[in-house]
Amino acid sequence: GENVEQHPSTLSVQEGDSAVIKCTYSDSASNYFPWYKQELGKRPQLIIDIRSNVGEKKDQRIAVTLNKTAKHFSLHITETQPEDSAVYFCAASSNTDKLIFGTGTRLQVFP
Amino acid sequence: GAGVSQSPRYKVAKRGQDVALRCDPISGHVSLFWYQQALGQGPEFLTYFQNEAQLDKSGLPSDRFFAERPEGSVSTLKIQRTQQEDSAVYLCASSQTGTGTYGYTFGSGTRLTVV
């Protein structure tokens, strides 16, 4: 079955710097790749997603890139702010609808 | 409702007790998913419904876990004879279609502690 690996597990950046989180997946049939942000004690919230027919997608300070050949995708946050501090999860899905999540990256943005 | 609603928010059970966790998805959402999230881990898939049909239950860890969605709306996850390793946050999510075209909307979860 699908396996999603995510790194780094923790990431500390200074406010205003960029943050990059990387994920790899194993199932070449996967075609949907969302990213979720989870603040302490709260629900995961979808922040951006990308499908396999697109190489890059951007939404304000957040962008996601996908390399299907290498089976990896990345989240890029620019101009980080303290409120970006949270745990970020990548996930992958094929047409089975089931999302397989990575193990998470704890991002800390220091003012 | 406006979001996915889960109850109870917290549940403490003695080892061996049965528990029932409820999920009320967004109205009209076809697909409903249950995930288990252990402390410091990512959500792990348990089971998936499309309307009232349980299409995938491959993630249920043992036959002590049972889920149902009899009318294609509210779902209940039941855990029988709870064990300490069942302690986790149980997340429910719903999505608009059955194709994964839309991202999930998660509920706030039920934090189960087995003592």
Side-chain angles (χ1 to χ4, degrees):
Chain A
E2 174 68 279
N3 182 49
V4 177
E5 294 190 356
Q6 181 173 350
H7 56 93
S9 56
T10 60
L11 179 59
S12 296
V13 300
Q14 204 73 33
E15 182 178 1
D17 288 351
S18 295
V20 180
I21 302 170
K22 299 182 179 181
C23 288
T24 60
Y25 61 97
S26 60
D27 187 354
S28 56
S30 290
N31 57 11
Y32 176 63
F33 308 92
W35 286 87
Y36 285 82
K37 176 183 180 182
Q38 188 174 31
E39 296 177 31
L40 191 62
K42 296 192 176 179
R43 71 189 75 191
Q45 291 196 303
L46 177 69
I47 56 171
I48 195 167
D49 56 14
I50 192 167
R51 301 175 200 287
S52 60
N53 58 343
V54 175
E56 183 173 356
K57 183 176 177 182
K58 196 171 181 180
D59 183 4
Q60 298 182 346
R61 296 186 296 109
I62 295 173
V64 57
T65 58
L66 171 65
N67 183 328
K68 282 220 78 178
T69 304
K71 289 193 278 190
H72 65 69
F73 56 112
S74 300
L75 177 72
H76 304 251
I77 306 174
T78 57
E79 300 170 34
T80 52
Q81 301 168 2
E83 51 265 39
D84 295 330
S85 297
V87 179
Y88 291 81
F89 293 99
C90 62
S93 169
S94 66
N95 289 327
T96 61
D97 306 312
K98 178 168 64 181
L99 280 179
I100 304 300
F101 285 84
T103 50
T105 296
R106 182 173 300 279
L107 173 65
Q108 288 184 300
V109 180
F110 291 98
Chain B
V4 178
S5 178
Q6 289 188 247
S7 61
R9 191 80 171 83
Y10 303 93
K11 177 69 181 177
V12 178
K14 290 186 178 177
R15 193 187 309 181
Q17 265 187 329
D18 297 350
V19 297
L21 313 180
R22 176 189 168 104
C23 174
D24 205 333
I26 293 173
S27 178
H29 275 197
V30 168
S31 300
L32 185 146
F33 307 83
W34 283 99
Y35 280 77
Q36 181 190 60
Q37 187 175 25
L39 192 64
Q41 300 295 316
E44 292 201 1
F45 173 80
L46 294 177
T47 187
Y48 156 52
F49 291 86
Q50 191 169 114
N51 296 307
E52 68 277 5
Q54 189 174 21
L55 299 187
D56 186 342
K57 53 181 181 179
S58 62
L60 295 177
S62 76
D63 58 8
R64 296 186 295 105
F65 287 71
F66 172 77
E68 60 182 5
R69 193 187 186 196
E71 297 177 359
S73 179
V74 171
S75 177
T76 304
L77 176 67
K78 297 179 180 177
I79 309 173
Q80 297 178 322
R81 305 181 303 281
T82 51
Q83 304 294 316
Q84 278 196 315
E85 61 263 28
D86 300 335
S87 296
V89 175
Y90 290 85
L91 293 165
C92 176
S94 68
S95 87
Q96 212 167 338
T97 73
T99 61
T101 303
Y102 299 93
Y104 297 174
T105 300
F106 279 96
S108 296
T110 294
R111 181 178 297 278
L112 173 65
T113 305
V114 181
V115 297

